[in-house]
Amino acid sequence: MTRGAFGVVSTVSQDDCQAEKQVLLPTGSWGWINTQQPVQLMRIGNIAIVAIPGEPTTMVGRRMRAAVLAQLKDSGVDTVIINGLANNYSGYLSTREEFATQHYEGASTEYGPYQTAAYIQEYTQLAEALRDGIEVYDSATPPDRSAKSFNERPGVVFDDKPLKQAWGQTLTQPKASYQKGQVATAVFRGAHPKNNLRTEDSFLKVQRFENGQWVDYLSDSDFETTYTWQREGAAYSKAIIDWRISNDTPAGTYRLTHQGDWKSGWTRKIKPYSGVSNSFIVQ
């Protein structure tokens, strides 16, 4: 069915520059992707770092390293590091042969079968300039697309909760005390995390009681904590906060908190909420 759908749609929207790849949606002609990508090459002593705005396959990495090393080996560079997902994103980078097979990596590309060849050309030129001390100028800058952002996946329609419950209400409280090495858990009435991804913020906090006040101790960026969103029914959500108490945790009084945002089905507005568990002792 999938092959059939691609076959039918691609007869209308096929992009000849994609060669073997059948295109379901002509994202390039629709302006959904950048037509410029940044390339960057750095040297630190005997190491060259290739910063690629994409995800290269292992064979692409080998060919890229060989091309750059061929230009820099006589100047003292003996190690080339491929640093993917740098500065921007242009999907997967596959070799011409990998593109022709149209497996996952070959199909998950943006610019067709010669995308990797174009990148190798640019990094080779950067390596030559780095070797010969030639100043390099930007001939193009990726456009600012922040005002044209869109969601390729449907957003949150609305969030709901039982009538007698409140947003952020603690549904399952942690135990009264824990030993180091155990897991403290609290469950909150929450909402869909896509309402606010809380970039540079946190869906949870582990707080410690110090000098008469609660002080943030851990967040969801710490290895010891886990935030789990769980759908309940059609529009209910649960937020599960787990804290794996490490052996170097100071003894004391702690609590788990959750913060999120819910979307009204009536006004379509998104509003923040927060929840706090009971305190507990870590011995």
Side-chain angles (χ1 to χ4, degrees):
M1 292 177 63
T2 302
R3 289 178 183 271
F6 269 74
V8 172
V9 178
S10 65
T11 60
V12 179
S13 62
Q14 184 60 276
D15 188 344
D16 293 337
C17 76
Q18 293 287 354
E20 297 92 344
K21 180 179 179 180
Q22 289 188 326
V23 179
L24 181 62
L25 299 175
T27 55
S29 61
W30 289 356
W32 287 10
I33 60 174
N34 289 340
T35 55
Q36 300 92 23
Q37 293 288 348
V39 292
Q40 185 179 34
L41 177 65
M42 296 162 280
R43 176 178 177 176
I44 304 174
N46 66 315
I47 297 174
I49 301 175
V50 178
I52 302 179
E55 300 180 70
T57 65
T58 57
M59 185 53 70
V60 170
R62 293 186 183 99
R63 295 181 182 181
M64 190 80 68
R65 281 199 298 266
V68 172
L69 187 59
Q71 302 301 321
L72 297 179
K73 62 181 180 180
D74 293 336
S75 62
V77 172
D78 57 20
T79 302
V80 178
I81 297 174
I82 306 298
N83 181 21
L85 291 174
N87 303 316
N88 209 348
Y89 187 67
S90 59
Y92 277 88
L93 276 68
S94 59
T95 66
R96 181 65 184 91
E97 297 85 350
E98 291 168 336
F99 186 94
T101 62
Q102 280 299 292
H103 291 167
Y104 181 83
E105 293 81 4
S108 301
T109 59
E110 295 285 5
Y111 302 112
Y114 302 107
Q115 176 174 335
T116 292
Y119 276 119
I120 291 179
Q121 169 186 289
E122 294 303 309
Y123 287 110
T124 298
Q125 293 176 356
L126 285 180
E128 293 173 349
L130 185 63
R131 178 196 63 201
D132 300 335
I134 300 174
E135 189 170 357
V136 177
Y137 297 92
D138 290 334
S139 59
T141 301
D144 181 1
R145 303 175 62 86
S146 58
K148 299 180 181 180
S149 61
F150 67 96
N151 291 321
E152 294 181 356
R153 301 176 182 177
V156 179
V157 179
F158 69 95
D159 293 293
D160 200 5
K161 61 177 179 58
L163 184 62
K164 295 184 179 181
Q165 292 183 4
W167 295 111
Q169 179 176 334
T170 308
L171 304 180
T172 303
Q173 295 285 359
K175 296 189 298 185
S177 65
Y178 292 90
Q179 300 290 330
K180 296 176 182 180
Q182 293 182 318
V183 179
T185 300
V187 181
F188 298 88
R189 173 60 65 201
H192 204 298
K194 284 180 66 175
N195 290 322
N196 182 351
L197 298 181
R198 299 199 162 267
T199 306
E200 302 298 331
D201 198 351
S202 178
F203 285 104
L204 69 88
K205 290 180 180 178
V206 178
Q207 295 183 324
R208 186 169 187 262
F209 196 66
E210 297 180 6
N211 301 320
Q213 60 182 353
W214 290 101
V215 178
D216 293 346
Y217 181 67
L218 297 173
S219 69
D220 60 16
S221 64
D222 291 286
F223 176 78
E224 296 88 348
T225 63
T226 301
Y227 160 73
T228 303
W229 171 75
Q230 185 180 91
R231 175 63 83 197
E232 185 181 37
Y236 294 176
S237 296
K238 287 182 178 180
I240 305 170
I241 309 300
D242 292 310
W243 174 29
R244 295 172 294 278
I245 305 172
S246 61
N247 291 329
D248 59 355
T249 301
T253 302
Y254 294 84
R255 68 181 185 183
L256 305 177
T257 71
H258 165 54
Q259 52 191 15
D261 299 82
W262 67 279
K263 184 174 184 178
S264 170
W266 299 100
T267 65
R268 318 300 296 168
K269 291 183 178 180
I270 297 176
K271 299 179 181 180
Y273 68 86
S274 61
V276 180
S277 76
N278 294 340
S279 61
F280 53 89
I281 303 296
V282 173
Q283 301 175 338

